[in-house]
Amino acid sequence: MEDPADHGELIGTRLRVATWNVWWRFGPWEQRQPLIIDELRRVDADVICLQEVWGAGGTSAADVIGDALGYERIYVGLLEMEPGVGFGNAVLSRWPIAGSDHRPLPAHGAPTELRNVVRADIDGPRGRLQVFSTHLNWRFDHSAVRQAQVETIAGFVQDSRPRAYPPIVCGDFNAVPSSDEIRTLTGERPVAHDLLLVDAWRHVHPTDPGFTWDNDNPFVASQLEQNRRLDYVFAGWFKAHGAGVPVSAELIGTEPDDGMHPSDHYGVVAELAY
């Protein structure tokens, strides 16, 4: 009988995936936007998932960033933060986006908390990828809503099968790794669905808290909240030859430029075997 732990010769090539909440048009957004572009250019990810993306007048922050980097993109907004200016999620890719879909997330009676999950079908050089970008409710007392939202996300991911490569799910989950919301996705809490995702940061840095909401950032310090890890790159369980296994992870957007951080959140970039 074959050893089920033997994946065979491991894949040596990599897929670089970034996720970042870019803080809509809050704060000095016109000064922050070029800093976001500069940081993403430095990171040089193959696929970028963005949250709190503004959309207005037929364009969006995803278009501005995509044009600057030469990336294809999709953006879907559900909520207007002010008249004519939307708020949503996006996926950008250096490779062709062959298709896309999205699904609204349950709001449970909170009309100002409309959220969604966006899927991009990306024709990468070593096979098609399914990449999901999402953003959950932010309020501390909305754990039950976030749990319903991750169940919806899990159903959407499973409904998107078949696929040859593990699904990639990224975003600002507004929940710490020990929460029921995250444990629902990582197989540590009994659930009805059969989706199992691997937290790239924890896989690579099991003892590093990896705070993405950090009081070293002045935009965060003013909120009087604890440091937390809220932003994640998840990958589905590994396939043959280790496809999808996280091999590196780092924070992005941590350094200010002339005293200004690009966003209130730090982002995450992870490399997956691909």
Side-chain angles (χ1 to χ4, degrees), residues 104-188:
L105 301 182
H108 285 198
T112 61
E113 285 285 326
L114 297 178
R115 309 286 174 146
N116 64 28
V117 54
V118 178
R119 189 191 79 224
D121 304 319
I122 297 171
D123 281 341
R126 293 175 293 279
R128 179 164 291 189
L129 308 166
Q130 288 187 339
V131 180
F132 301 78
S133 179
T134 195
H135 183 197
L136 307 190
N137 280 32
W138 70 271
R139 284 177 45 170
F140 279 84
D141 60 342
H142 275 194
S143 175
V145 180
R146 287 190 293 273
Q147 289 177 56
Q149 290 173 337
V150 296
E151 291 285 356
T152 297
I153 292 165
F156 184 40
V157 174
Q158 295 302 70
D159 289 347
S160 298
R161 294 176 291 186
R163 51 183 162 253
Y165 189 82
I168 299 165
V169 181
C170 301
D172 173 7
F173 284 76
N174 277 310
V176 298
S178 61
S179 67
D180 283 348
E181 297 92 296
I182 302 303
R183 293 170 62 241
T184 292
L185 296 173
T186 57
E188 298 166 279

Side-chain angles (χ1 to χ4, degrees), residues 56-117:
T59 190
S60 70
D63 293 319
V64 174
I65 295 168
D67 287 344
L69 300 180
Y71 282 28
E72 295 196 13
R73 79 293 309 216
I74 60 167
Y75 161 77
V76 181
L78 278 180
L79 176 65
E80 284 196 348
M81 296 293 288
E82 60 184 46
V85 185
F87 175 104
N89 300 311
V91 180
L92 292 77
S93 172
R94 71 164 79 249
W95 303 313
I97 296 178
S100 65
D101 199 358
H102 68 279
R103 188 167 293 182
L105 301 182
H108 285 198
T112 61
E113 285 285 326
L114 297 178
R115 309 286 174 146
N116 64 28
V117 54

